[in-house]
Amino acid sequence: MATASLRSIPLNYQSKRIFQVPHRCKYPLQVRCIHGQEISAGAGGSTSPFFYGAVGSNRADWLSKCAILSSKAAAVDSKPSIVSSSSSSSGGVGAEDHHQDNQNSVTPAVVVNGHDSSSSVTLDLVPIGNLPRALTIADLSPAPMHGSTLRVAYQGVPGAYSEAAAGKAYPNCEAIPCDQFEVAFQAVELWIADRAVLPVENSLGGSIHRNYDLLLRHRLHIVGEVQLPVHHCLLALPGVRKECLARVMSHPQALAQCELTLTGLGLNVAREAFHDTAGAAEYVAANGLRDTAAIASSRAAELYGMQILADGIQDDSSNVTRFVMLAREPIIPRTDRPFKTSIVFAHHKEGTSVLFKVLSAFAFRNISLTKIESRPHRHQPIRLVDDANVGTAKHFEYMFYIDFEASMAEQRAQNALAEIQEFTSFLRVLGSYPMDMTPWNAPTGSSSTSTSTSTSTSDDN
């Protein structure tokens, strides 16, 4: 009886082999044998394959089944044929037996390794073209294709300025509200969102320190920035007059940005901090608070059915918030348009004295800095310096964040960071990304020219 040649492809994680019937068969087939680890089936004490569709409860049984399968392939190759007991024992098949096989078309019972193939478990023949495709990371969250919706996470509720910034950064995106800044970071890391748009600094209130700390804690990359003009409005329930107000709720920075205007309006009201500007408007509307006003955008007034008591109440008309766009992967830096690069560094021994060396590396190469921010070193906030003459001195340790106007594709930026790395104990590039060069007009404060924040920011594009 002719034997079939085998071609096997072993895999490491799950023992898997693909057997191919020789080409001389009339109907070539490819079949798959899979052996997996054993797991307990329960109280019965029996074992079952580790995954569905496996053949054999252990490796020895699996090898036997594979041998049976190869014998079946050989039987298909020589069909119709009869293997008599005498010829099987002698180890050959004569010409007369072969002629008799053609007349009697009897399917043989092949015995391999003591297993009767007719009584053994049926081996499924799986067409090679119908094998399941392995899942990839792209299957968990497909990258947005042309025309599809990009999912962008932001902190706050609908009507927040962060939502407007997300709409300006990614027009027609699917905005995903998050109750905290860290939730927005995690949404991108867990593939719930494709991007995150979060504020990092305001022209009046300064830096949002929480997001600088989260940039260091998480492994997301800055892939862009957007600057959004802020236009505050004083909102209240319909029919409420300013004289009836007892308190004003909003984000702490929004309260600080409107302090002088609120005083100029003659409002003797208590200021109460809330986690979000639009969230404050939603809270007032949901609870029917007729003695409370909220500072938020005009879009929040539309969403939550509130009236605008005063429009453009920010103390400075040039009130701008800078947002950064975060992604799981960095973008490729270019030199055909203005780029900005953000880094963070520290030194565990020299402390703040290392800052002078870093600034010199940029100044020597004529690289302009746009921001310097220091944050306490979380793991080593205080450095002790022992001096035999004056005693022990305590110095605060800082992490330094710097933004500079250069692309990582430029040689001067690469040389600057190479020099900085020599005298810093920690250096990380947060991102190299295009600068926001879109023009914007400061709000005039008149209600006739102001629209919802998201609409006005879309016009900036």
Side-chain angles (χ1 to χ4, degrees):
M1 171 175 152
T3 59
S5 61
L6 301 179
R7 180 172 59 87
S8 62
I9 305 175
L11 300 179
N12 294 329
Y13 177 70
Q14 57 185 22
S15 299
K16 179 187 297 185
R17 298 194 177 187
I18 299 177
F19 295 87
Q20 184 175 10
V21 177
H23 294 290
R24 58 177 174 273
C25 296
K26 183 177 180 181
Y27 301 99
L29 295 174
Q30 285 184 326
V31 295
R32 178 183 61 176
C33 274
I34 302 176
H35 165 68
Q37 303 174 2
E38 300 179 26
I39 58 174
S40 176
S46 61
T47 57
S48 61
F50 183 71
F51 50 87
Y52 176 79
V55 178
S57 59
N58 53 57
R59 182 170 181 81
D61 196 16
W62 168 74
L63 291 173
S64 299
K65 298 300 187 294
C66 289
I68 294 171
L69 180 60
S70 64
S71 299
K72 282 191 173 184
V76 174
D77 184 26
S78 59
K79 153 178 112 161
S81 64
I82 299 177
V83 181
S84 61
S85 59
S86 60
S87 61
S88 299
S89 60
S90 62
V93 178
E96 295 179 358
D97 294 332
H98 183 69
H99 177 71
Q100 186 179 1
D101 294 342
N102 295 334
Q103 295 177 351
N104 293 293
S105 297
V106 179
T107 303
V110 183
V111 178
V112 180
N113 293 343
H115 294 273
D116 187 356
S117 63
S118 61
S119 61
S120 61
V121 64
T122 302
L123 300 177
D124 297 331
L125 299 181
V126 182
I128 199 69
N130 296 336
L131 292 178
R133 182 179 60 86
L135 288 177
T136 65
I137 197 170
D139 295 318
L140 302 178
S141 177
M145 303 299 291
H146 179 70
S148 61
T149 303
L150 192 75
R151 298 166 299 178
V152 181
Y154 69 93
Q155 188 275 329
V157 299
Y161 293 107
S162 294
E163 183 194 32
K168 180 180 180 181
Y170 301 102
N172 302 320
C173 68
E174 177 187 351
I176 302 177
C178 303
D179 59 350
Q180 300 178 25
F181 289 127
E182 188 161 10
V183 175
F185 276 85
Q186 294 176 352
V188 179
E189 290 178 329
L190 298 177
W191 295 78
I192 300 174
D194 304 301
R195 301 287 189 273
V197 176
L198 298 173
V200 290
E201 60 179 327
N202 177 264
S203 58
L204 300 181
S207 300
I208 292 88
H209 296 144
R210 176 61 176 166
N211 284 335
Y212 276 99
D213 295 338
L214 292 175
L215 282 173
L216 187 61
R217 181 181 305 177
H218 295 269
R219 302 300 298 181
L220 298 182
H221 303 268
I222 303 178
V223 296
E225 67 171 4
V226 58
Q227 298 181 2
L228 182 74
V230 178
H231 190 78
H232 290 309
C233 301
L234 185 64
L235 312 180
L237 293 176
V240 175
R241 297 181 302 173
K242 290 185 293 184
E243 295 77 9
C244 301
L245 297 178
R247 62 174 177 171
V248 175
M249 301 176 61
S250 190
H251 190 275
Q253 285 207 9
L255 293 173
Q257 294 167 9
C258 303
E259 180 65 28
L260 298 179
T261 304
L262 291 177
T263 303
L265 292 175
L267 298 178
N268 186 18
V269 294
R271 276 72 162 169
E272 184 173 333
F274 207 80
H275 59 81
D276 180 37
T277 55
E282 181 187 34
Y283 181 81
V284 172
N287 293 275
L289 304 178
R290 302 190 65 82
D291 63 339
T292 305
I295 297 178
S297 65
S298 57
R299 171 169 165 77
E302 298 175 1
L303 291 176
Y304 305 113
M306 303 183 69
Q307 67 171 340
I308 300 178
L309 297 179
D311 193 9
I313 62 174
Q314 63 274 1
D315 296 337
D316 191 339
S317 59
S318 301
N319 187 5
V320 182
T321 299
R322 175 173 170 253
F323 295 79
V324 292
M325 297 119 74
L326 305 176
R328 289 178 292 271
E329 299 294 335
I331 62 174
I332 300 177
R334 298 159 53 181
T335 58
D336 57 347
R337 60 174 299 180
F339 259 65
K340 182 183 294 186
T341 302
S342 300
I343 64 172
V344 55
F345 63 90
H347 197 285
H348 65 281
K349 291 183 179 180
E350 295 188 20
T352 56
S353 61
V354 73
L355 184 60
F356 172 77
K357 299 178 181 180
V358 172
L359 297 180
S360 300
F362 289 116
F364 177 74
R365 295 168 177 85
N366 197 26
I367 298 177
S368 300
L369 305 185
T370 60
K371 182 177 178 60
I372 301 178
E373 179 73 24
S374 63
R375 294 293 297 153
H377 200 300
R378 181 176 296 274
H379 301 292
Q380 190 180 355
I382 297 179
R383 176 170 54 95
L384 301 179
V385 179
D386 293 329
D387 192 322
N389 297 325
V390 298
T392 302
K394 301 178 180 63
H395 301 280
F396 289 100
E397 290 287 355
Y398 292 97
M399 307 286 293
F400 294 98
Y401 295 80
I402 285 183
D403 296 341
F404 60 89
E405 295 181 349
S407 170
M408 284 302 300
E410 300 181 47
Q411 189 64 41
R412 58 172 184 162
Q414 299 174 13
N415 295 338
L417 292 189
E419 179 180 344
I420 293 172
Q421 194 171 13
E422 295 179 359
F423 43 79
T424 56
S425 59
F426 170 77
L427 174 63
R428 175 181 164 190
V429 178
L430 298 175
S432 186
Y433 47 92
M435 297 175 57
D436 184 9
M437 305 297 293
T438 57
W440 63 276
N441 297 321
T444 59
S446 61
S447 58
S448 59
T449 60
S450 66
T451 59
S452 65
T453 307
S454 60
T455 304
S456 62
T457 54
S458 299
D459 296 338
D460 293 338
N461 291 328

